[in-house]
């Protein structure tokens, strides 16, 4: 038991085993997380809600468990934060939007139920871009989250609060969501591990939807081993979610120590030449270094082409907003959430349409309105075929590109595609405020995994000359998370980057 280290430096297994044996109490672990949040969150703004009393009550209940009731709970006593787009019964869940101010769901999301059954303690909700629409966690009704590595920079988005909470050691695990890179990009910016499972691997029941055919729930952690443990708990078919898939769930931790000799790694260098966003030299240096580590471990590099990769960003920014415009139509001030007052309006303006208009105008932020309008335009009668229909066709071509590289003949097929997670390290807060298109182009390497539904993982891969984290992304075959985790674990064990921690201010 690592008693010489502060408890928040322990990994999940160390905490769990310590609580099981009684070497440390669940209350002590929970209190350590809550104290750290109280000290540092006023600076970093990673949290939208902290459930202090409820968390301590749950921890005390765990400490009262008989020894026989502790062994079958794989996350016993583990403090966990969840993104503020995932429902938890009776606890504030707002999607970082004014339109859901004070909303308390009457049920738990399936992932929350599974975490609680595994012995985890939900200590709070993390900040995010409103309704997960953004890449910087600046578009939040609670204000922006700051990157623990540099408070002048973005932690990424939309799961920026989740990534910042792990990097700042508020908790060893945060649960985020990924629609176009929203787990992996903030993981890269904050120097943590972020996993987007295959679409359908993890239940979406209880997730406040942005784009239903893209959204996927996954973990952000300090290590690949911790990510594997969390995925073990979250994965599996759910009768409450028709999009979940009845695929066998392997023992993710059991495969981590397997060697990777003979693994064929796809290297899409042509994609870098056509990337609309310029790639930082430090990112390319870290990428080349990672490839050398894989070859030293016995892997083989194979040059591949993804002919339609250059169209991934515009395709995503047509299809996802179209789905958002449909999903967010339910927030109208009638059933739940904010209802704008019509006091002071003329009698001719006091009708249902006026209430809808005022509610949505005052409840939604700028980025959400932008995407609703873009999506509604793409779905309109005169433009549906030219925009939305064409984008769906290109989406199919992008999926076919990956099918070809994964299922070609033996001389060309690869087992995994490896590329940078992001073209640059964390950008400064406000840097893209007047030019959102530039921020959208930063998703060039991440959106394809969402367009195709494939699993993807980001792992820390170095630091820039400014001492900012760099991420390395692995994309695999559908439901092949175990292979990605194994490959990432081999890389992680050969490098020091997952152990790097920011020096917090305060």
């Amino acid at each position: 038991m690592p008693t010489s280290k502060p408890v928040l430096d322990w990994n999940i297994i160390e905490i769990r085993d310590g609580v099981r044996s009684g070497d440390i109490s669940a209350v002590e672990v929970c209190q350590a997380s809550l104290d750290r949040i109280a000290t540092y969150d006023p600076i970093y703004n990673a949290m939208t809600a902290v459930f202090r009393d409820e968390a301590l009550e749950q921890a005390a209940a765990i400490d009262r468990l008989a020894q026989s009731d502790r062994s079958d709970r794989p996350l016993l006593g583990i403090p966990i934060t969840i993104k503020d787009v995932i429902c938890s019964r009776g606890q504030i869940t707002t999607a970082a939007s004014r339109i859901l101010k004070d909303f308390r769901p009457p049920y738990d999301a399936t992932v929350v139920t599974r975490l609680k059954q595994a012995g985890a303690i939900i200590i709070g909700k993390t900040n995010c871009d409103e309704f997960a629409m953004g890449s910087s966690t600046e578009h939040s009704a609670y204000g922006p989250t700051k990157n623990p590595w540099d408070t002048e920079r973005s932690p990424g988005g939309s799961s920026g609060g989740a990534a910042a909470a792990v990097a700042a050691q508020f908790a060893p695990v945060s649960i985020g969501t990924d629609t176009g890179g929203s787990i992996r990009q903030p993981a890269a910016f904050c120097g943590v591990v972020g996993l987007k499972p295959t679409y359908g691997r993890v239940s979406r029941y209880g997730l406040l939807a942005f784009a239903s055919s893209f959204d996927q729930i996954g973990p952000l952690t300090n290590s690949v081993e911790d990510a594997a443990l969390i995925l073990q708990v979250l994965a599996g078919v759910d009768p409450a979610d028709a999009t979940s898939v009845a695929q066998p769930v392997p023992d993710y931790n059991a495969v981590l120590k397997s060697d990777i000799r003979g693994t064929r790694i796809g290297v899409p260098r042509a994609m870098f030449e056509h990337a609309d966003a310029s790639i930082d030299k430090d990112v390319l240096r870290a990428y080349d270094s990672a490839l050398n580590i894989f070859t030293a471990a016995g892997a083989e590099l194979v040059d591949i082409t993804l002919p339609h990769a250059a169209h991934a960003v515009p395709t995503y920014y047509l299809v996802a907003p179209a789905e958002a415009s449909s999903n967010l139509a339910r927030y109208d001030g009638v059933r739940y959430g904010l209802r704008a007052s019509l006091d002071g309006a003329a009698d001719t303006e006091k009708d249902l349409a006026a209430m809808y208009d005022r509610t949505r105008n005052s409840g939604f932020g700028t980025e959400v309105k932008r995407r609703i309008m873009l999506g509604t335009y793409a779905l309109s009668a005169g433009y549906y075929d030219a925009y939305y229909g064409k984008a769906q066709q290109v989406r199919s071509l992008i999926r076919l590109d990956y099918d070809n590289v994964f299922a070609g003949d033996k001389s060309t097929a690869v087992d995994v595609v490896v590329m940078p997670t992001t073209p640059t390290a964390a950008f400064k807060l406000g840097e893209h405020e007047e030019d959102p298109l530039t921020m959208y182009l930063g998703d060039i390497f991440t959106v394809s995994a969402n367009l195709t539904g494939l699993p993807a993982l980001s792992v820390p891969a170095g630091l820039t000359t400014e001492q900012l984290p760099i991420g390395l992304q692995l994309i695999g075959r559908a439901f092949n998370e175990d292979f990605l985790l194994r490959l990432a674990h081999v890389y992680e064990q050969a490098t020091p980057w997952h152990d790097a921690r920011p020096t917090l201010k305060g």
Side-chain angles (χ1 to χ4, degrees):
M1 188 54 55
T3 54
S4 61
K5 296 192 295 185
V7 66
L8 295 180
D9 285 334
W10 298 8
N11 62 34
I12 289 177
I13 292 177
E14 291 168 343
I15 294 173
R16 179 197 67 194
D17 290 350
V19 173
R20 278 180 179 174
S21 65
D23 288 340
I24 192 168
S25 71
V27 168
E28 288 178 279
V29 178
C30 186
Q31 190 67 61
S33 282
L34 293 170
D35 288 348
R36 193 166 180 87
I37 291 171
T39 299
Y40 293 108
D41 197 52
I43 300 169
Y44 297 100
N45 196 34
M47 310 296 297
T48 60
V50 179
F51 311 130
R52 185 179 186 87
D53 293 341
E54 295 169 72
L56 289 172
E57 287 176 8
Q58 292 175 39
I62 287 172
D63 288 334
R64 291 193 297 269
L65 288 174
Q67 195 63 40
S68 58
D69 294 327
R70 298 185 177 207
S71 59
D72 62 345
R73 304 188 188 210
L75 301 179
L76 188 73
I78 305 299
I80 289 180
T81 63
I82 58 176
K83 187 176 178 179
D84 196 11
V85 292
I86 300 173
C87 291
S88 54
R89 185 173 181 270
Q91 295 177 327
I92 197 77
T93 305
T94 70
S97 177
R98 288 185 294 274
I99 208 163
L100 280 177
K101 182 182 178 182
D102 299 326
F103 174 61
R104 296 177 185 272
Y107 65 96
D108 280 333
T110 296
V111 294
V112 172
T113 299
R114 291 180 177 178
L115 290 168
K116 288 179 177 178
Q117 290 173 343
I121 301 170
I122 309 300
I123 62 172
K125 297 284 178 76
T126 55
N127 201 8
C128 58
D129 289 294
E130 184 181 5
F131 281 99
M133 297 184 193
S135 302
S136 64
T137 314
E138 293 175 281
H139 307 290
S140 166
Y142 298 94
T145 296
K146 297 177 181 178
N147 192 319
W149 289 84
D150 182 346
T151 55
E152 294 184 357
R153 295 181 183 268
S154 166
S158 61
S159 303
V166 174
Q169 295 181 284
F170 291 177
V173 181
S174 282
I175 305 301
T177 65
D178 194 310
T179 307
S182 292
I183 286 175
R184 290 159 288 149
Q185 185 246 31
F189 280 10
C190 293
V192 301
V193 174
L195 171 63
K196 184 205 86 72
T198 307
Y199 186 83
R201 171 63 88 185
V202 175
S203 172
R204 294 171 49 252
Y205 177 74
L207 169 63
L208 304 179
F210 162 13
S212 300
S213 73
F214 294 83
D215 300 337
Q216 188 64 184
I217 296 172
L220 295 103
T221 63
N222 282 310
S223 71
V224 173
E225 183 179 48
D226 283 357
L229 280 166
I230 299 301
L231 183 61
Q232 195 74 54
V233 171
L234 301 182
V237 67
D238 175 18
D241 177 13
T243 65
S244 68
V245 179
Q247 280 278 341
V249 178
D251 185 337
Y252 293 114
N253 278 88
V255 303
L256 290 185
K257 296 182 181 178
S258 304
D259 70 62
I260 62 167
R261 284 176 291 183
T263 296
R264 292 171 61 85
I265 294 176
V267 181
R269 289 201 182 274
M271 181 179 177
F272 306 155
E273 298 172 7
H274 299 293
D276 290 320
S278 59
I279 305 175
D280 188 269
K281 291 181 180 179
D282 286 336
V283 172
L284 285 176
R285 172 185 50 78
Y287 177 66
D288 289 334
S289 175
L291 294 180
N292 291 335
I293 289 171
F294 286 132
T295 56
E300 177 186 353
L301 303 184
V302 180
D303 285 329
I304 62 169
T305 57
L306 299 168
H308 299 93
H311 306 299
V313 170
T315 299
Y316 172 81
Y317 280 100
L318 280 169
V319 179
E323 295 188 14
S325 72
S326 176
N327 279 324
L328 270 64
R330 71 193 69 177
Y331 302 104
D332 54 15
V334 175
R335 286 157 285 197
Y336 51 82
L338 174 73
R339 175 179 294 184
S341 172
L342 294 178
D343 292 344
D347 290 342
T348 56
E349 297 175 350
K350 290 185 178 181
D351 59 11
L352 188 62
M355 190 272 289
Y356 285 167
D357 182 68
R358 290 195 177 198
T359 295
R360 293 169 69 81
N361 185 54
S362 61
F364 288 137
T366 302
E367 184 65 20
V368 170
K369 291 176 185 176
R370 179 185 291 122
R371 298 198 191 197
I372 289 174
M373 289 190 291
L374 177 62
T376 303
Y377 182 84
L379 290 173
S380 60
Y383 302 98
Y384 181 93
D385 290 334
Y387 292 105
Y388 181 77
K390 183 64 69 176
Q392 288 286 27
Q393 292 174 341
V394 177
R395 183 180 188 178
S396 296
L397 293 174
I398 293 169
R399 178 59 191 256
L400 185 60
D401 288 346
Y402 278 89
D403 287 345
N404 289 337
V405 299
F406 286 136
D409 60 50
K410 290 184 178 180
S411 63
T412 60
V414 300
D415 301 303
V416 64
V417 175
V418 176
M419 64 181 77
T421 308
T422 57
T424 67
F427 48 80
K428 289 189 175 181
L429 291 165
E431 185 174 332
H432 301 306
E433 186 174 352
E434 302 301 323
D435 184 13
L437 184 59
T438 301
M439 187 181 299
Y440 296 167
L441 293 174
D443 296 335
I444 182 68
F445 299 130
T446 56
V447 295
S448 291
N450 301 88
L451 287 164
T452 59
L454 297 174
L457 181 152
S458 179
V459 64
L463 298 173
T464 68
T465 53
E466 295 179 288
Q467 297 302 294
L468 297 171
I470 297 169
L472 179 74
Q473 181 180 211
L474 290 68
I475 301 175
R477 296 185 178 93
F479 301 102
N480 225 17
E481 290 87 357
D482 52 339
F483 185 83
L484 294 186
L485 290 163
R486 180 175 68 188
L487 198 67
H489 186 258
V490 167
Y491 173 77
E492 186 179 78
Q493 296 305 299
T495 61
W497 309 120
H498 66 289
D499 288 324
R501 299 285 184 272
T503 301
L504 302 190
K505 294 183 178 180

